[in-house]
């Protein structure tokens, strides 16, 4: 956003808001100069004296004895193998890569960083950002293929977590030495409020989570006994809390950035409690979370950013501070627990039988603390962990995750309650969040019919009104292409969130929600205003009907109504689109096939093949529809794009128009 845009936006606010905002801006600006001076003077010894301890080592020992919300002590590898076969070996393999400074982040593929890590460099393109005051850095680099998320993700240090886990299994000092050396490098190369890794408060916030975990794992290790390192580490961690408080990311409508900042303040505050400003951090951070969980999470448990991957991240960010408070004996309001439980129930509903989840909205692979080896799209661990926190027996009984994530959050003994299978689920509606799920034991259809995202601003939501994903007879056939990248390519960013990249009708090449500008990667106009007209389900079938208003703005307005019916006994999917209005219009209706699905078009018939299974696709309705099989792209994870096929029906002519597509299993290849 340009300075002029900021001024115009600010001018629309109340005088009280303007004064408050200007005060915050002045404080953040002053911190660019005052903060580094304070940082150079702060030491672990000063923190010890401030806390009333006789020495740094005494403070260190006291902090090490304090509770933490995850497992940080020794873990029996034999017992772990009994509950999660192969997990210990996977941890050790990942730990060895971390020791060699070998990473694979955000679609980069394997990268060897070398002995001395360059923290300000995009390790794929080689572009660097200056070690300048963080508020002066343009980290978008428009027109260049660099991606600021790469140095940010590198500096979150979550790639080092397996080394800490391996230390918990084996007690090998090599891991403690390696993590300490990386932390020493990071602190030397990233002075307070200088450089790209301080340019977004969320990044500093997420480091607080990983650094406090590292502390509790390695606090008693031989490699971490050096008083100079202890002093630098505690001072830098405390400064992260200070920075997060001063630069907290508040806006008129807040999302996962503020949630990250608030969660980190709780972590820093409880870690340093009774020291300096720590108690204020803990209280203020928790107050923000209590308020934001009601604002950001719909009553039915759907995160308001209209993204399944961000639903997972936000659930972690609300969950972990609650578990930290629980660990130190602080209360958690019943309403907070209830909203978390609702998030877990939504997670359970959107999880398919194979443990995968839909690609609804943006996805940047973000995590709060990543411990498990489950696939990226498997969010089932949330059901178990939230179930335990909230005391919801139904959620605990529904746990069917592999246990790798939960073992580090809850301890190995908690895995004994694993039921081993998801109890049968039926179709569900989440009307507040605008998600409708048609499902049974073999089929799963995820439908978006809700707000555009971030309270109507767009944010991490896409132009996917009335779009859907479909798994039939256990095979994922129709998918959302994902989101691919953010600032690395403005063109790809806007392409992947466009209407054409979703399984929904497009009229006259227009977007269902207008983009603000080609340079605005995050906002959308709230044009579609999708609404559900019918949702019904019984043993025979589940049926959804919805419409949106995105094309009412055209010179000749068009209404779009979609009906989706799942026949349970035959695993049959019927999608019917009705477009009405005046004038002549060009309509395109795409279905993005999963990457491993092949298609062969015949006369009013198409054969879909995935592995040994075949599906018959037929269509009917208005005349003049023309079907073509086209090349497309899909992004299974951030920074990765793979080729895929797209079926596209096109028609030019007067309205009304109707298209009915039916997909039915057609047997298996012997």
């Amino acid at each position: 956003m340009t300075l002029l845009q900021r001024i115009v936006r600010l001018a629309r606010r109340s005088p009280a808001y303007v004064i408050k905002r200007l005060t915050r801006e002045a404080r953040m600006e002053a911190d660019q100069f005052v903060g580094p001076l304070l940082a150079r003077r702060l030491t672990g010894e000063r923190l010890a004296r401030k806390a009333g301890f006789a020495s740094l080592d005494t403070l260190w020992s006291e902090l090490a004895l304090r509770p933490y919300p995850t497992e940080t002590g020794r873990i029996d590898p034999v017992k772990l193998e009994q509950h999660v076969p192969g997990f210990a070996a996977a941890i050790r393999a990942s730990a060895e890569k971390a020791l060699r400074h070998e990473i694979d982040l955000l679609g980069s593929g394997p990268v060897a960083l070398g002995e001395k890590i360059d923290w300000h460099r995009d390790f794929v393109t080689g572009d660097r950002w200056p070690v300048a005051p963080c508020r002066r850095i343009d980290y978008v680099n428009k027109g260049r293929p660099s991606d600021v998320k790469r140095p940010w993700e590198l500096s979150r240090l979550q790639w080092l977590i397996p080394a800490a886990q391996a230390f918990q299994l084996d007690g090998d000092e090599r891991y403690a030495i390696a993590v300490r050396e990386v932390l020493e490098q990071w602190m030397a190369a990233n002075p307070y409020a200088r450089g790209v890794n301080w340019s977004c408060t969320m990044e500093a916030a997420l480091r607080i989570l990983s650094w406090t975990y590292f502390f509790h794992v390695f606090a008693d290790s031989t490699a971490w006994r050096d008083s100079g390192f202890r002093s630098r580490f505690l001072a830098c961690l405390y400064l992260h809390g200070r920075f997060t408080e001063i630069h907290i990311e508040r806006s008129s409508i807040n999302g996962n950035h503020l949630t990250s900042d608030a969660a980190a303040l709780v972590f820093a505050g409880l870690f340093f409690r009774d020291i300096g400003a720590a108690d204020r951090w803990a209280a203020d951070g928790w107050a923000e979370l209590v308020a934001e969980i009601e604002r950001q999470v719909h009553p039915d448990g759907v995160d308001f950013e209209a993204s399944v991957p961000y639903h997972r991240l936000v659930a972690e960010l609300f969950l972990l501070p609650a578990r930290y408070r629980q660990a130190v004996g602080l209360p958690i309001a019943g309403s907070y627990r209830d909203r978390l439980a609702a998030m877990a129930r939504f997670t359970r509903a959107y999880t398919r039988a194979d443990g995968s989840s839909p690609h609804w909205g943006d996805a940047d692979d973000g995590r709060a603390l990543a411990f498990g080896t489950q696939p990226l799209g498997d969010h089932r661990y949330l059901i178990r962990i939230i179930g335990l926190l909230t005391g919801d027996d139904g959620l605990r009984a529904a746990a069917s995750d592999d246990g790798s994530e939960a073992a580090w959050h809850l301890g190995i003994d908690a895995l004994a309650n694993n039921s081993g299978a998801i109890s049968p689920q039926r179709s569900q509606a989440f009307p507040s969040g605008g998600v409708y799920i048609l499902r049974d034991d073999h089929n799963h259809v995820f439908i978006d019919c809700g707000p555009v995202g971030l309270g109507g601003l767009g944010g991490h939501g896409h132009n996917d009104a009335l779009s859907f994903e479909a798994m039939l007879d256990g095979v994922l056939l129709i998918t959302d292409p994902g989101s691919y990248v953010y600032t690395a390519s403005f063109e790809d960013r806007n392409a992947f969130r466009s209407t054409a990249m979703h399984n929904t009708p497009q009229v006259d090449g227009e977007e269902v929600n207008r983009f603000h500008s080609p340079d605005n990667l995050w906002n959308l106009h709230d044009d579609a205003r999708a609404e559900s007209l019918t949702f019904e389900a019984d043993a025979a079938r589940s049926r959804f009907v919805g419409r949106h208003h995105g094309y009412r703005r055209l010179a000749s307005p068009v209404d779009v109504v979609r009906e989706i019916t799942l026949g349970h006994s035959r695993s049959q999917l019927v999608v019917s689109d009705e477009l009405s209005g005046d004038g002549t219009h060009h309509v395109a209706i795409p279905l993005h096939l999963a990457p491993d699905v092949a298609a062969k078009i015949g006369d009013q018939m198409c054969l879909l093949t995935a592995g040994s299974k075949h599906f018959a696709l037929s269509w009917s309705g208005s005349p003049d529809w023309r079907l073509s099989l086209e090349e497309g792209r899909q992004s299974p994870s951030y920074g990765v794009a793979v080729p895929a096929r797209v079926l596209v029906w096109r028609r030019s002519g007067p309205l009304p128009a109707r298209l009915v597509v039916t997909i039915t299993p057609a047997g298996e290849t012997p």
Side-chain angles (χ1 to χ4, degrees):
M1 185 182 295
T2 66
L3 178 60
L4 179 59
Q5 288 173 320
R6 291 177 185 272
I7 293 172
V8 170
R9 195 170 177 179
L10 199 60
R12 297 172 181 161
R13 301 289 181 177
S14 68
Y17 176 89
V18 172
I19 292 171
K20 187 175 181 180
R21 181 62 184 267
L22 290 176
T23 301
R24 282 187 55 236
E25 290 289 332
R27 188 184 183 199
M28 289 189 287
E29 194 61 31
D31 191 53
Q32 299 285 280
F33 306 97
V34 176
L37 297 176
L38 295 175
R40 284 194 286 270
R41 290 164 42 197
L42 184 66
T43 64
E45 289 81 5
R46 284 178 178 267
L47 285 174
R49 289 195 296 272
K50 186 178 293 191
F53 289 96
S55 68
L56 170 63
D57 288 343
T58 306
L59 170 61
W60 186 274
S61 298
E62 160 63 21
L63 294 175
L65 291 173
R66 293 180 174 182
Y68 196 71
T70 73
E71 291 292 301
T72 57
R74 290 298 301 273
I75 290 179
D76 184 349
V78 175
K79 194 173 181 181
L80 181 64
E81 180 67 20
Q82 292 172 349
H83 287 278
V84 194
F87 187 28
I91 288 173
R92 294 184 180 110
S94 296
E96 291 303 319
K97 291 181 181 178
L99 264 58
R100 296 192 298 268
H101 297 177
E102 294 178 4
I103 59 167
D104 186 349
L105 300 175
L106 302 176
S108 67
V111 174
L113 297 171
E115 183 177 348
K116 186 174 182 181
I117 299 171
D118 188 341
W119 300 99
H120 306 278
R121 176 176 173 268
D122 180 331
F123 48 79
V124 172
T125 67
D127 285 316
R128 297 185 83 257
W129 286 267
V131 185
C134 60
R135 284 170 62 84
R136 303 289 182 270
I137 294 176
D138 175 16
Y139 54 73
V140 173
N141 276 4
K142 183 188 175 186
R144 298 168 66 181
S146 60
D147 193 333
V148 72
K149 286 189 65 62
R150 295 188 186 116
W152 283 354
E153 191 74 24
L154 181 69
S155 286
R156 290 181 184 184
L157 297 185
Q158 293 181 5
W159 56 275
L160 273 181
I161 287 177
Q165 292 177 290
F167 183 82
Q168 291 179 260
L169 293 175
D170 303 328
D172 190 334
E173 281 288 320
R174 292 186 308 124
Y175 302 121
I177 293 169
V179 173
R180 172 189 159 174
E181 288 178 348
V182 170
L183 288 168
E184 290 272 34
Q185 283 193 31
W186 195 94
M187 289 186 288
N190 292 273
Y192 179 87
R194 292 292 190 271
V196 73
N197 294 310
W198 295 95
S199 61
C200 174
T201 311
M202 179 180 181
E203 299 308 313
L206 290 177
R207 286 196 293 273
I208 291 173
L209 273 61
S210 56
W211 284 38
T212 53
Y213 166 69
F214 292 146
F215 171 86
H216 279 283
V217 170
F218 295 117
D220 293 330
S221 69
T222 301
W224 284 44
R225 289 178 184 170
D226 176 76
S227 59
F229 169 72
R230 288 183 169 186
S231 179
R232 289 187 293 275
F233 177 87
L234 289 182
C236 190
L237 183 54
Y238 186 89
L239 287 167
H240 271 71
R242 179 184 185 276
F243 182 89
T244 303
E245 181 187 38
I246 292 174
H247 298 269
I248 192 166
E249 296 163 284
R250 289 195 183 94
S251 186
S252 55
I253 298 178
N254 299 299
N256 66 87
H257 281 245
L258 177 64
T259 311
S260 299
D261 302 347
L265 286 175
V266 172
F267 265 66
L270 295 181
F271 181 89
F272 284 112
R273 68 182 181 276
D274 300 328
I275 301 173
D279 291 348
R280 182 177 70 243
W281 299 342
D284 290 351
W286 183 247
E288 291 279 8
L289 292 174
V290 169
E292 288 299 321
I293 199 170
E294 298 287 336
R295 296 178 184 134
Q296 294 186 29
V297 182
H298 294 289
D300 54 19
V302 182
D303 177 62
F304 85 143
E305 294 198 63
S307 159
V308 159
Y310 278 88
H311 176 90
R312 183 259 295 274
L313 172 63
V314 169
E316 290 183 348
L317 293 170
F318 283 122
L319 169 64
L320 287 171
R323 295 202 68 243
Y324 208 154
R325 284 177 62 89
Q326 188 180 55
V328 301
L330 293 173
I332 305 164
S335 58
Y336 194 97
R337 293 174 186 265
D338 291 345
R339 199 57 59 102
L340 271 175
M343 296 189 82
R345 285 190 287 273
F346 177 56
T347 301
R348 186 179 177 221
Y350 70 62
T351 298
R352 297 185 281 245
D354 63 355
S356 64
S357 56
H359 287 166
W360 181 44
D362 274 347
D364 72 349
D365 305 353
R367 297 289 308 278
L369 281 173
F371 293 122
T373 55
Q374 73 281 353
L376 181 65
D378 188 346
H379 305 171
R380 289 176 293 178
Y381 62 90
L382 288 171
I383 302 168
R384 184 200 301 269
I385 301 170
I386 291 175
L388 184 71
L389 174 79
T390 61
D392 190 313
D393 292 335
L395 290 174
R396 288 203 298 261
S400 66
D401 54 298
D402 67 3
S404 61
E405 196 82 37
W408 249 260
H409 283 281
L410 307 175
I412 297 176
D413 291 340
L415 303 183
N417 296 324
N418 186 13
S419 65
I422 293 181
S423 56
Q425 287 207 81
R426 297 295 175 254
S427 300
Q428 286 183 264
F430 297 85
S432 298
V435 173
Y436 297 82
I437 297 171
L438 317 182
R439 70 173 303 170
D440 53 46
D441 292 342
H442 306 288
N443 306 292
H444 191 286
V445 182
F446 181 100
I447 306 165
D448 173 28
C449 184
V452 69
L454 200 67
L457 297 181
H460 291 294
H462 286 189
N463 273 341
D464 49 11
L466 302 184
S467 186
F468 69 98
E469 288 195 347
M471 172 181 279
L472 298 180
D473 196 24
V475 176
L476 183 61
L477 292 177
I478 312 299
T479 63
D480 183 307
S483 59
Y484 190 31
V485 294
Y486 294 164
T487 61
S489 168
F490 283 37
E491 293 77 13
D492 281 332
R493 165 61 176 161
N494 285 329
F496 271 82
R497 65 185 185 133
S498 71
T499 305
M501 291 291 274
H502 295 87
N503 302 306
T504 189
Q506 185 173 30
V507 178
D508 297 336
E510 295 285 339
E511 297 292 338
V512 293
N513 298 292
R514 289 164 295 158
F515 291 159
H516 282 249
S517 72
D519 292 350
N520 187 324
L521 305 184
W522 308 108
N523 297 119
L524 295 168
H525 288 281
D526 189 13
D527 296 321
R529 292 173 286 116
E531 57 181 328
S532 170
L533 303 177
T534 302
F535 179 81
E536 54 190 18
D538 56 32
R541 68 171 190 168
S542 296
R543 176 172 170 263
F544 160 86
V545 182
R547 68 181 174 193
H548 73 70
H549 304 272
Y551 298 123
R552 293 291 300 168
R553 71 178 191 273
L554 301 182
S556 297
V558 175
D559 286 320
V560 179
V561 175
R562 167 166 278 184
E563 177 178 341
I564 301 177
T565 302
L566 174 64
H568 297 295
S569 62
R570 298 180 59 197
S571 297
Q572 183 182 73
L573 181 69
V574 180
V575 181
S576 174
D577 290 317
E578 300 272 358
L579 295 99
S580 59
D582 298 325
T584 297
H585 297 275
H586 175 75
V587 180
I589 302 179
L591 289 184
H592 295 263
L593 303 179
D596 58 350
V597 176
K600 184 177 181 180
I601 299 176
D603 185 20
Q604 292 297 113
M605 181 69 70
C606 179
L607 181 66
L608 304 180
T609 301
S612 63
K613 291 191 175 183
H614 306 287
F615 298 82
L617 183 153
S618 62
W619 65 95
S620 62
S622 303
D624 302 328
W625 287 108
R626 296 291 180 264
L627 173 62
S628 60
L629 180 62
E630 303 176 6
E631 295 300 316
R633 289 188 297 167
Q634 296 196 10
S635 177
S637 61
Y638 188 91
V640 176
V642 298
R645 301 164 187 85
V646 190
L647 292 171
V648 185
W649 286 263
R650 290 188 172 86
R651 179 184 182 274
S652 293
L655 299 181
R658 183 169 185 256
L659 177 68
V660 181
V661 175
T662 302
I663 306 176
T664 308
E668 295 188 49
T669 302

